[in-house]
Amino acid sequence: MNAGIKVFAPATVANVAVGYDILGFALEKPGDEIIAKFTNTPGITITKITGAKGKLPYETEKNTAGFAAQKVLEFLGDTKTGISLEIHKKMPFGSGLGSSAASAVAGAMAVNELLKKPLTKRELLPFAVLGEQIADGAYHADNVAPSLLGGIIFIRDNQSLDVHRLPLPKGLYATVVHPNVRILTKDARDVLSDQVSLNQTITQSGNLGGFIVGLYNSDIGLIGRSLQDVIIEPQRAKLIPHFQDIKTAAMNEGALGCSISGAGPSIFALSPNSLIAENVKESMAKIFTDAKIEHQIFISQINQEGAIKL
Ligand code: HSE
Protein backbone atom coordinates (compact mmCIF):
# COMPACT_ATOMS: atom_id res chain seq x y z
CA MET A 1 0.00 0.00 0.00
CA ASN A 2 1.50 3.37 -1.01
CA ALA A 3 -1.24 5.97 -0.83
CA GLY A 4 1.09 8.82 0.02
CA ILE A 5 0.22 12.11 1.67
CA LYS A 6 -0.56 15.61 0.40
CA VAL A 7 0.49 18.88 2.02
CA PHE A 8 -0.36 22.54 1.42
CA ALA A 9 1.90 25.53 2.13
CA PRO A 10 0.44 29.03 1.79
CA ALA A 11 1.59 32.18 0.05
CA THR A 12 2.98 34.91 2.29
CA VAL A 13 3.50 38.66 2.44
CA ALA A 14 7.09 39.41 3.51
CA ASN A 15 8.54 42.68 4.86
CA VAL A 16 5.07 44.05 5.81
CA ALA A 17 6.33 47.59 5.08
CA VAL A 18 8.45 48.02 8.20
CA GLY A 19 10.35 44.74 8.57
CA TYR A 20 12.58 44.13 5.56
CA ASP A 21 13.67 40.49 5.82
CA ILE A 22 12.32 40.25 9.39
CA LEU A 23 8.49 40.35 9.18
CA GLY A 24 5.98 38.27 7.26
CA PHE A 25 2.44 36.95 7.42
CA ALA A 26 0.66 33.99 5.84
CA LEU A 27 -2.32 34.20 3.48
CA GLU A 28 -5.17 31.71 3.26
CA LYS A 29 -4.60 31.26 -0.47
CA PRO A 30 -3.02 30.71 -2.93
CA GLY A 31 -0.51 28.01 -1.92
CA ASP A 32 1.52 25.11 -3.26
CA GLU A 33 0.65 21.43 -2.87
CA ILE A 34 3.01 18.47 -2.76
CA ILE A 35 2.14 14.78 -2.81
CA ALA A 36 4.79 12.50 -1.30
CA LYS A 37 4.98 8.71 -1.67
CA PHE A 38 7.50 6.02 -0.77
CA THR A 39 9.59 4.67 -3.63
CA ASN A 40 12.33 2.06 -3.94
CA THR A 41 15.01 4.57 -4.97
CA PRO A 42 16.73 5.94 -1.84
CA GLY A 43 16.61 9.73 -1.41
CA ILE A 44 14.25 12.30 -2.93
CA THR A 45 13.02 12.01 -6.50
CA ILE A 46 10.81 14.61 -8.19
CA THR A 47 8.40 12.79 -10.47
CA LYS A 48 5.97 15.50 -11.53
CA ILE A 49 5.72 19.32 -11.55
CA THR A 50 2.56 21.13 -12.61
CA GLY A 51 1.75 24.85 -12.83
CA ALA A 52 5.34 25.88 -13.52
CA LYS A 53 5.27 26.10 -17.32
CA GLY A 54 8.34 23.89 -17.51
CA LYS A 55 10.47 26.42 -15.66
CA LEU A 56 11.34 24.45 -12.54
CA PRO A 57 14.15 21.88 -12.43
CA TYR A 58 13.51 18.20 -11.67
CA GLU A 59 17.00 17.79 -10.18
CA THR A 60 16.49 17.50 -6.44
CA GLU A 61 19.54 19.62 -5.60
CA LYS A 62 18.34 22.51 -7.77
CA ASN A 63 14.68 22.48 -6.77
CA THR A 64 13.61 24.45 -3.66
CA ALA A 65 11.13 21.78 -2.57
CA GLY A 66 13.44 18.89 -3.43
CA PHE A 67 16.41 20.41 -1.64
CA ALA A 68 14.42 21.16 1.52
CA ALA A 69 13.02 17.61 1.48
CA GLN A 70 16.49 16.14 1.02
CA LYS A 71 17.88 18.20 3.92
CA VAL A 72 15.18 16.80 6.22
CA LEU A 73 16.03 13.21 5.21
CA GLU A 74 19.75 13.88 5.69
CA PHE A 75 19.16 15.39 9.14
CA LEU A 76 17.25 12.27 10.14
CA GLY A 77 20.26 10.20 9.05
CA ASP A 78 18.01 8.23 6.74
CA THR A 79 19.99 6.88 3.78
CA LYS A 80 17.64 4.03 2.84
CA THR A 81 14.18 5.55 2.47
CA GLY A 82 13.09 6.65 -1.00
CA ILE A 83 10.47 9.38 -1.38
CA SER A 84 8.94 10.73 -4.58
CA LEU A 85 7.48 14.23 -4.77
CA GLU A 86 4.77 15.59 -7.07
CA ILE A 87 4.90 19.39 -6.93
CA HIS A 88 1.77 21.34 -7.83
CA LYS A 89 2.54 25.07 -8.14
CA LYS A 90 -0.57 27.14 -7.57
CA MET A 91 0.97 30.60 -7.76
CA PRO A 92 3.29 32.45 -10.12
CA PHE A 93 7.02 32.82 -9.41
CA GLY A 94 8.52 36.25 -9.11
CA SER A 95 5.19 37.50 -7.79
CA GLY A 96 6.21 38.70 -4.34
CA LEU A 97 3.95 36.12 -2.73
CA GLY A 98 6.67 33.79 -1.49
CA SER A 99 6.26 31.18 -4.21
CA SER A 100 9.67 29.54 -3.72
CA ALA A 101 9.26 29.66 0.06
CA ALA A 102 5.89 27.88 -0.14
CA SER A 103 7.46 25.12 -2.25
CA ALA A 104 10.38 24.72 0.13
CA VAL A 105 8.03 24.56 3.13
CA ALA A 106 5.80 22.03 1.37
CA GLY A 107 8.85 19.89 0.51
CA ALA A 108 10.08 19.76 4.11
CA MET A 109 6.54 19.20 5.44
CA ALA A 110 5.81 16.42 2.94
CA VAL A 111 8.79 14.32 4.04
CA ASN A 112 8.02 14.86 7.72
CA GLU A 113 4.36 13.93 7.29
CA LEU A 114 5.12 10.84 5.21
CA LEU A 115 7.54 9.67 7.91
CA LYS A 116 4.84 10.25 10.57
CA LYS A 117 6.27 13.47 12.01
CA PRO A 118 9.67 12.72 13.50
CA LEU A 119 10.18 16.51 13.71
CA THR A 120 7.97 19.36 14.92
CA LYS A 121 6.99 22.08 12.46
CA ARG A 122 9.35 24.49 14.18
CA GLU A 123 12.21 22.02 13.71
CA LEU A 124 11.57 21.97 9.93
CA LEU A 125 12.28 25.70 9.63
CA PRO A 126 16.05 25.58 8.91
CA PHE A 127 15.58 22.98 6.15
CA ALA A 128 12.85 25.00 4.47
CA VAL A 129 15.01 28.15 4.65
CA LEU A 130 17.89 26.24 3.02
CA GLY A 131 15.52 25.17 0.25
CA GLU A 132 14.33 28.71 -0.39
CA GLN A 133 17.88 29.99 -0.42
CA ILE A 134 18.35 28.22 -3.77
CA ALA A 135 15.92 30.70 -5.31
CA ASP A 136 17.56 34.00 -4.38
CA GLY A 137 20.83 33.13 -2.68
CA ALA A 138 19.94 34.90 0.57
CA TYR A 139 19.25 33.21 3.92
CA HIS A 140 16.11 34.84 5.28
CA ALA A 141 12.96 33.37 6.75
CA ASP A 142 10.42 36.17 6.28
CA ASN A 143 8.41 34.11 3.75
CA VAL A 144 9.33 30.61 4.92
CA ALA A 145 8.54 31.06 8.62
CA PRO A 146 4.96 32.36 8.18
CA SER A 147 4.26 29.83 5.40
CA LEU A 148 5.32 27.02 7.74
CA LEU A 149 4.01 28.28 11.07
CA GLY A 150 1.19 30.63 10.07
CA GLY A 151 0.31 34.00 11.61
CA ILE A 152 2.45 37.13 11.66
CA ILE A 153 6.08 36.27 12.34
CA PHE A 154 8.86 38.56 13.57
CA ILE A 155 12.44 37.40 13.04
CA ARG A 156 14.92 38.97 15.45
CA ASP A 157 17.83 37.29 13.66
CA ASN A 158 17.80 35.28 10.44
CA GLN A 159 21.09 33.41 10.93
CA SER A 160 20.01 31.82 14.19
CA LEU A 161 16.35 31.71 13.11
CA ASP A 162 15.26 33.52 16.26
CA VAL A 163 11.60 33.71 15.13
CA HIS A 164 8.59 34.86 17.14
CA ARG A 165 4.90 34.75 16.44
CA LEU A 166 3.12 38.04 17.06
CA PRO A 167 -0.45 38.34 18.31
CA LEU A 168 -3.18 39.09 15.81
CA PRO A 169 -5.90 41.67 16.47
CA LYS A 170 -9.36 40.53 15.42
CA GLY A 171 -10.70 41.62 12.06
CA LEU A 172 -7.50 42.32 10.10
CA TYR A 173 -7.87 41.61 6.38
CA ALA A 174 -5.26 41.74 3.64
CA THR A 175 -6.07 42.78 0.09
CA VAL A 176 -3.38 41.59 -2.31
CA VAL A 177 -3.07 42.51 -5.96
CA HIS A 178 -0.67 40.81 -8.34
CA PRO A 179 -0.04 42.62 -11.64
CA ASN A 180 1.23 40.29 -14.35
CA VAL A 181 4.75 41.63 -14.50
CA ARG A 182 7.62 39.54 -13.24
CA ILE A 183 10.28 40.81 -10.85
CA LEU A 184 13.07 38.50 -9.79
CA THR A 185 13.79 38.78 -6.08
CA LYS A 186 17.49 38.94 -6.85
CA ASP A 187 16.97 41.98 -9.10
CA ALA A 188 14.74 43.67 -6.53
CA ARG A 189 17.45 43.10 -3.91
CA ASP A 190 20.14 44.44 -6.23
CA VAL A 191 18.39 47.83 -6.62
CA LEU A 192 18.68 48.49 -2.89
CA SER A 193 21.40 50.81 -1.65
CA ASP A 194 23.36 49.57 1.35
CA GLN A 195 23.41 53.12 2.71
CA VAL A 196 20.68 54.00 5.22
CA SER A 197 20.70 57.36 7.00
CA LEU A 198 20.40 57.83 10.74
CA ASN A 199 17.06 59.61 10.25
CA GLN A 200 15.67 56.73 8.17
CA THR A 201 16.86 54.25 10.79
CA ILE A 202 15.16 56.17 13.60
CA THR A 203 11.87 56.49 11.68
CA GLN A 204 11.83 52.85 10.55
CA SER A 205 12.73 51.53 14.03
CA GLY A 206 9.94 53.63 15.50
CA ASN A 207 7.49 52.26 12.96
CA LEU A 208 8.55 48.63 13.48
CA GLY A 209 8.24 49.03 17.25
CA GLY A 210 4.91 50.80 16.84
CA PHE A 211 3.56 48.05 14.60
CA ILE A 212 4.53 45.35 17.09
CA VAL A 213 3.11 47.27 20.09
CA GLY A 214 -0.04 47.89 18.01
CA LEU A 215 -0.42 44.14 17.40
CA TYR A 216 0.09 43.33 21.10
CA ASN A 217 -2.44 45.94 22.21
CA SER A 218 -4.89 45.52 19.31
CA ASP A 219 -4.34 49.25 18.76
CA ILE A 220 -5.55 49.69 15.18
CA GLY A 221 -4.67 53.40 15.15
CA LEU A 222 -1.08 52.69 16.15
CA ILE A 223 -0.81 49.92 13.53
CA GLY A 224 -2.04 52.39 10.90
CA ARG A 225 0.41 55.13 11.95
CA SER A 226 3.27 52.63 11.92
CA LEU A 227 2.84 50.95 8.53
CA GLN A 228 5.15 53.32 6.66
CA ASP A 229 8.32 52.15 4.97
CA VAL A 230 10.86 54.95 4.53
CA ILE A 231 13.73 52.70 3.40
CA ILE A 232 12.80 49.92 0.96
CA GLU A 233 9.52 50.99 -0.68
CA PRO A 234 10.89 54.30 -2.03
CA GLN A 235 13.68 52.39 -3.79
CA ARG A 236 11.55 49.58 -5.22
CA ALA A 237 8.31 51.42 -6.06
CA LYS A 238 9.60 52.35 -9.51
CA LEU A 239 9.77 48.65 -10.47
CA ILE A 240 5.99 48.32 -10.13
CA PRO A 241 3.68 50.07 -12.61
CA HIS A 242 1.19 52.47 -10.96
CA PHE A 243 2.40 51.66 -7.45
CA GLN A 244 1.76 55.17 -6.07
CA ASP A 245 -1.75 55.34 -7.58
CA ILE A 246 -2.63 51.96 -6.10
CA LYS A 247 -1.34 52.98 -2.70
CA THR A 248 -3.19 56.29 -2.73
CA ALA A 249 -6.40 54.54 -3.76
CA ALA A 250 -6.09 51.97 -0.96
CA MET A 251 -5.33 54.58 1.70
CA ASN A 252 -8.26 56.75 0.52
CA GLU A 253 -10.57 53.78 1.13
CA GLY A 254 -9.38 53.48 4.72
CA ALA A 255 -6.58 50.90 4.54
CA LEU A 256 -4.28 50.89 7.57
CA GLY A 257 -1.28 50.63 5.30
CA CYS A 258 -0.32 49.63 1.78
CA SER A 259 3.10 48.59 0.53
CA ILE A 260 5.01 46.13 -1.63
CA SER A 261 4.50 42.44 -0.85
CA GLY A 262 7.96 40.93 -0.47
CA ALA A 263 10.12 41.88 -3.42
CA GLY A 264 7.04 42.73 -5.55
CA PRO A 265 5.35 43.21 -7.92
CA SER A 266 2.40 42.22 -5.70
CA ILE A 267 1.07 44.98 -3.48
CA PHE A 268 -0.73 44.38 -0.19
CA ALA A 269 -3.00 46.55 1.93
CA LEU A 270 -4.10 45.78 5.48
CA SER A 271 -7.61 46.79 6.50
CA PRO A 272 -9.37 46.75 9.88
CA ASN A 273 -12.45 44.92 8.56
CA SER A 274 -13.73 43.03 5.52
CA LEU A 275 -15.88 45.91 4.24
CA ILE A 276 -12.90 48.24 3.95
CA ALA A 277 -10.85 45.37 2.47
CA GLU A 278 -13.54 44.97 -0.26
CA ASN A 279 -13.54 48.71 -1.03
CA VAL A 280 -9.74 48.67 -1.16
CA LYS A 281 -9.91 45.73 -3.56
CA GLU A 282 -12.26 47.56 -5.92
CA SER A 283 -10.19 50.73 -5.89
CA MET A 284 -6.93 48.86 -6.55
CA ALA A 285 -8.44 46.73 -9.32
CA LYS A 286 -9.83 49.82 -11.07
CA ILE A 287 -6.37 51.31 -11.46
CA PHE A 288 -4.89 48.23 -13.11
CA THR A 289 -8.04 47.68 -15.19
CA ASP A 290 -8.00 51.29 -16.44
CA ALA A 291 -4.29 50.93 -17.26
CA LYS A 292 -5.06 47.62 -19.06
CA ILE A 293 -2.64 45.72 -16.86
CA GLU A 294 -3.67 42.12 -16.33
CA HIS A 295 -3.84 41.29 -12.64
CA GLN A 296 -5.25 38.97 -9.99
CA ILE A 297 -6.66 40.41 -6.80
CA PHE A 298 -7.97 38.75 -3.66
CA ILE A 299 -8.83 39.29 -0.02
CA SER A 300 -7.53 37.04 2.73
CA GLN A 301 -7.52 36.95 6.48
CA ILE A 302 -4.22 36.10 8.05
CA ASN A 303 -3.75 32.34 7.93
CA GLN A 304 -3.11 31.14 11.47
CA GLU A 305 -2.18 27.53 10.68
CA GLY A 306 0.48 27.81 8.01
CA ALA A 307 1.40 24.59 6.21
CA ILE A 308 -0.98 21.66 6.72
CA LYS A 309 -1.49 18.06 5.69
CA LEU A 310 -4.58 17.93 3.51
N1 HSE B 1 12.54 40.15 2.26
C1 HSE B 1 12.70 39.67 0.92
C2 HSE B 1 12.89 40.84 -0.02
C3 HSE B 1 11.46 38.92 0.53
O1 HSE B 1 12.14 41.81 0.10
O2 HSE B 1 13.81 40.82 -0.83
C4 HSE B 1 11.54 38.28 -0.83
O3 HSE B 1 12.28 37.11 -0.79
Side-chain angles (χ1 to χ4, degrees):
M1 197 185 79
N2 188 9
I5 56 94
K6 189 182 201 181
V7 299
F8 166 87
T12 42
V13 170
N15 301 338
V16 199
V18 289
Y20 178 68
D21 279 357
I22 58 171
L23 269 182
F25 64 79
L27 296 167
E28 287 167 337
K29 56 176 187 213
D32 287 348
E33 290 173 10
I34 291 188
I35 296 168
K37 291 179 185 166
F38 289 114
T39 63
N40 292 329
T41 317
I44 305 292
T45 316
I46 298 169
T47 51
K48 189 171 183 182
I49 302 177
T50 65
K53 297 185 181 143
K55 288 188 184 141
L56 287 185
Y58 276 77
E59 296 101 306
T60 305
E61 295 273 335
K62 294 185 184 161
N63 181 292
T64 55
F67 193 70
Q70 184 173 301
K71 288 286 152 195
V72 173
L73 259 195
E74 279 172 21
F75 176 79
L76 294 171
D78 190 332
T79 52
K80 297 208 177 94
T81 302
I83 294 177
S84 70
L85 301 180
E86 270 184 32
I87 302 168
H88 299 286
K89 295 291 303 173
K90 307 267 172 153
M91 64 177 122
F93 339 117
S95 61
L97 294 172
S99 173
S100 47
S103 289
V105 166
M109 269 287 281
V111 168
N112 199 47
E113 291 290 337
L114 191 67
L115 296 176
K116 302 216 174 351
K117 295 201 225 186
L119 301 176
T120 63
K121 261 183 156 189
R122 176 64 185 79
E123 286 168 335
L124 295 175
L125 184 59
F127 311 114
V129 177
L130 280 173
E132 204 234 339
Q133 195 183 12
I134 293 183
D136 71 6
Y139 191 83
H140 53 91
D142 51 341
N143 289 112
V144 168
S147 181
L148 180 66
L149 305 169
I152 299 189
I153 301 281
F154 168 64
I155 303 153
R156 187 203 61 80
D157 175 58
N158 274 295
Q159 287 313 308
S160 57
L161 293 176
D162 190 358
V163 306
H164 302 270
R165 195 188 176 106
L166 300 173
L168 195 59
K170 282 202 172 60
L172 276 191
Y173 280 78
T175 307
V176 181
V177 63
H178 170 240
N180 281 5
V181 288
R182 190 166 170 216
I183 297 179
L184 290 179
T185 299
K186 191 182 171 309
D187 297 342
R189 291 180 86 81
D190 285 348
V191 299
L192 299 177
S193 163
D194 54 8
Q195 304 294 314
V196 177
S197 74
L198 186 58
N199 267 340
Q200 286 172 306
T201 307
I202 293 166
T203 305
Q204 197 90 341
S205 310
N207 284 340
L208 175 60
F211 179 64
I212 292 174
V213 172
L215 292 177
Y216 269 93
N217 293 341
S218 289
D219 184 338
I220 296 295
L222 179 56
I223 292 171
R225 292 198 298 284
S226 304
L227 277 172
Q228 294 177 57
D229 175 5
V230 298
I231 297 177
I232 306 298
E233 183 187 300
Q235 300 182 73
R236 284 180 168 172
K238 57 181 175 292
L239 302 174
I240 304 170
H242 301 281
F243 174 78
Q244 288 305 341
D245 299 336
I246 293 270
K247 178 167 175 152
T248 303
M251 298 309 287
N252 285 345
E253 292 297 339
L256 298 171
C258 174
S259 189
I260 302 166
S261 175
S266 292
I267 301 167
F268 79 97
L270 275 180
S271 296
N273 59 55
S274 61
L275 182 63
I276 293 178
E278 280 291 345
N279 294 340
V280 166
K281 180 180 164 197
E282 275 178 32
S283 70
M284 285 172 146
K286 183 171 186 323
I287 291 181
F288 280 138
T289 304
D290 288 352
K292 298 193 169 36
I293 294 175
E294 223 184 288
H295 60 278
Q296 297 84 44
I297 188 160
F298 57 92
I299 291 177
S300 170
Q301 284 191 290
I302 291 168
N303 171 343
Q304 292 278 38
E305 276 193 287
I308 51 168
K309 181 172 166 229
L310 292 174

